[in-house]
Coordinates of all heavy atoms in Angstrom, one line a residue:
T2 N 187.4 96.3 -11.4 CA 187.1 96.8 -10.1 C 185.6 96.3 -9.9 O 184.8 96.6 -10.7 CB 187.2 98.3 -10.0 OG1 188.5 98.6 -10.3 CG2 186.8 98.9 -8.7
P16 N 175.0 116.3 -23.6 CA 174.1 117.6 -23.7 C 172.8 117.3 -24.6 O 172.9 116.7 -25.7 CB 175.0 118.5 -24.4 CG 176.4 118.0 -24.2 CD 176.3 116.5 -24.2
S18 N 168.8 119.5 -25.6 CA 168.1 120.8 -25.5 C 167.4 120.9 -24.2 O 166.7 120.0 -23.7 CB 167.1 120.8 -26.7 OG 166.4 122.1 -26.7
Y21 N 163.3 123.9 -20.5 CA 162.8 125.1 -19.7 C 163.2 126.4 -20.3 O 162.4 127.4 -20.3 CB 163.2 125.0 -18.3 CG 162.8 123.6 -17.6 CD1 163.8 122.8 -17.1 CD2 161.5 123.4 -17.6 CE1 163.4 121.6 -16.6 CE2 161.1 122.1 -17.0 CZ 162.1 121.2 -16.5 OH 161.8 120.0 -15.9
V35 N 169.4 101.7 -5.8 CA 169.1 100.3 -5.7 C 169.8 99.9 -4.4 O 170.6 100.6 -3.8 CB 169.6 99.6 -6.8 CG1 168.8 99.9 -8.1 CG2 171.0 99.7 -7.1
G40 N 166.8 104.0 0.2 CA 166.0 105.1 0.9 C 167.0 106.1 1.6 O 166.7 107.3 1.5
G50 N 170.0 118.3 -3.5 CA 169.5 118.8 -4.8 C 169.2 118.0 -5.9 O 168.8 118.3 -7.0
S54 N 163.6 109.8 -10.3 CA 162.7 109.4 -11.5 C 162.9 107.9 -11.5 O 163.9 107.4 -12.0 CB 163.0 110.1 -12.8 OG 162.3 109.5 -13.8
I70 N 167.1 125.5 -9.6 CA 167.3 125.6 -8.2 C 166.3 124.7 -7.4 O 165.1 124.9 -7.5 CB 167.2 127.1 -7.7 CG1 168.2 127.9 -8.5 CG2 167.4 127.3 -6.3 CD1 168.1 129.4 -8.2
R73 N 162.3 123.9 -1.4 CA 161.5 123.1 -0.4 C 160.7 124.2 0.5 O 161.3 125.2 0.9 CB 162.3 122.2 0.5 CG 163.4 122.9 1.4 CD 164.2 121.9 2.1 NE 165.2 122.6 3.0 CZ 166.2 121.9 3.7 NH1 166.4 120.6 3.3 NH2 166.9 122.5 4.5
V75 N 158.9 125.5 3.8 CA 159.1 125.4 5.3 C 157.6 125.3 5.8 O 156.9 126.3 5.9 CB 159.8 126.6 5.8 CG1 159.9 126.6 7.3 CG2 161.1 126.9 5.1
V88 N 141.6 128.7 -3.4 CA 141.8 127.3 -4.0 C 141.4 126.3 -3.0 O 140.7 125.3 -3.4 CB 143.3 127.1 -4.5 CG1 143.5 125.7 -4.9 CG2 143.6 128.1 -5.7
M99 N 146.1 108.8 0.9 CA 147.4 108.3 0.6 C 147.4 106.7 0.7 O 146.8 106.2 1.6 CB 148.4 108.8 1.8 CG 149.8 108.3 1.6 SD 151.0 109.0 2.9 CE 151.3 110.6 2.2
Y109 N 145.8 106.1 -15.1 CA 146.4 106.3 -16.4 C 145.5 107.1 -17.4 O 146.0 107.9 -18.1 CB 146.7 105.0 -17.1 CG 147.4 105.1 -18.4 CD1 148.6 105.6 -18.6 CD2 146.6 104.9 -19.6 CE1 149.2 105.8 -19.8 CE2 147.2 105.1 -20.8 CZ 148.4 105.5 -21.0 OH 149.0 105.7 -22.2
R113 N 146.9 110.3 -19.1 CA 146.9 110.5 -20.5 C 146.3 111.8 -20.9 O 146.7 112.5 -21.8 CB 146.2 109.3 -21.1 CG 146.2 109.1 -22.7 CD 147.6 108.8 -23.1 NE 148.4 109.9 -23.5 CZ 149.6 109.9 -23.7 NH1 150.4 108.9 -23.4 NH2 150.3 111.0 -24.1
R119 N 148.4 119.2 -21.7 CA 149.4 120.2 -21.3 C 150.8 120.0 -21.7 O 151.6 120.9 -21.6 CB 149.3 120.2 -19.7 CG 147.9 120.6 -19.2 CD 147.9 120.5 -17.7 NE 148.8 121.4 -16.9 CZ 148.4 122.6 -16.4 NH1 147.2 122.9 -16.5 NH2 149.3 123.4 -15.9
T129 N 153.0 104.8 -22.6 CA 152.0 103.9 -22.6 C 151.5 103.5 -21.2 O 152.2 104.0 -20.2 CB 152.5 102.6 -23.4 OG1 153.4 102.0 -22.5 CG2 153.0 102.9 -24.8
H141 N 162.7 101.9 -5.2 CA 163.3 101.2 -4.0 C 163.3 102.0 -2.8 O 164.0 101.6 -1.8 CB 164.8 100.8 -4.4 CG 164.8 99.9 -5.7 ND1 164.8 98.5 -5.6 CD2 164.8 100.2 -6.9 CE1 164.9 98.0 -6.8 NE2 164.9 99.0 -7.6
T144 N 157.7 105.1 -1.2 CA 156.9 105.9 -2.2 C 155.5 105.7 -2.0 O 155.1 104.6 -1.8 CB 157.4 105.5 -3.6 OG1 158.7 105.9 -3.7 CG2 156.6 106.4 -4.6
E148 N 145.6 109.9 -4.1 CA 144.5 110.0 -5.1 C 143.6 111.1 -4.5 O 143.2 111.1 -3.3 CB 143.8 108.7 -5.3 CG 144.6 107.7 -6.1 CD 143.7 106.5 -6.5 OE1 142.6 106.4 -6.0 OE2 144.0 105.7 -7.4
A170 N 149.1 112.3 -7.1 CA 150.5 112.7 -6.8 C 151.4 111.5 -6.3 O 151.0 110.7 -5.5 CB 150.5 113.7 -5.6
E190 N 139.1 120.2 -15.2 CA 138.8 120.8 -14.0 C 139.7 122.0 -13.8 O 140.2 122.2 -12.6 CB 138.9 119.7 -12.9 CG 137.9 118.6 -12.9 CD 136.5 119.0 -12.6 OE1 136.3 120.1 -12.0 OE2 135.6 118.1 -12.9
R193 N 139.5 124.6 -10.8 CA 139.9 124.1 -9.4 C 141.3 124.4 -9.1 O 141.7 124.4 -7.8 CB 139.6 122.7 -9.3 CG 138.1 122.2 -9.2 CD 138.0 120.8 -8.9 NE 136.6 120.3 -8.8 CZ 136.0 120.4 -7.6 NH1 136.6 120.8 -6.5 NH2 134.7 119.9 -7.5
L201 N 149.3 122.4 -1.6 CA 148.7 122.8 -0.3 C 148.3 121.6 0.6 O 148.6 121.6 1.8 CB 147.5 123.7 -0.5 CG 147.8 125.0 -1.2 CD1 146.5 125.8 -1.5 CD2 148.6 126.0 -0.3
G218 N 161.0 120.2 -6.0 CA 161.8 120.0 -7.3 C 162.5 121.2 -7.6 O 162.8 122.1 -6.8
V221 N 162.7 127.4 -11.7 CA 163.6 128.0 -12.7 C 163.0 129.4 -13.1 O 162.0 129.6 -13.5 CB 163.5 127.1 -14.1 CG1 164.5 127.8 -15.1 CG2 163.9 125.7 -13.8
K230 N 156.3 127.5 -8.5 CA 156.8 127.0 -7.3 C 157.4 128.1 -6.4 O 157.5 127.9 -5.2 CB 158.0 126.1 -7.6 CG 157.6 124.8 -8.4 CD 158.6 123.9 -8.7 CE 158.1 122.7 -9.5 NZ 159.2 121.7 -9.8
A242 N 175.7 128.6 -1.2 CA 176.0 128.6 0.2 C 175.3 127.6 1.0 O 175.3 127.6 2.2 CB 175.8 130.1 0.7
F247 N 163.8 132.1 1.9 CA 163.2 133.2 1.2 C 161.8 133.4 1.7 O 161.0 132.5 1.7 CB 163.2 132.9 -0.3 CG 164.6 133.1 -1.1 CD1 165.4 132.1 -0.9 CD2 164.9 134.2 -1.8 CE1 166.8 132.2 -1.5 CE2 166.1 134.4 -2.4 CZ 167.0 133.3 -2.3

Side-chain angles (χ1 to χ4, degrees):
T2 302
S18 178
Y21 305 119
V35 294
S54 177
I70 298 175
R73 63 188 186 187
V75 182
V88 170
M99 182 178 281
Y109 179 73
R113 186 71 263 163
R119 298 174 67 99
T129 67
H141 299 265
T144 302
E148 285 189 350
E190 298 284 347
R193 287 183 175 272
L201 294 172
V221 182
K230 297 180 183 181
F247 287 77

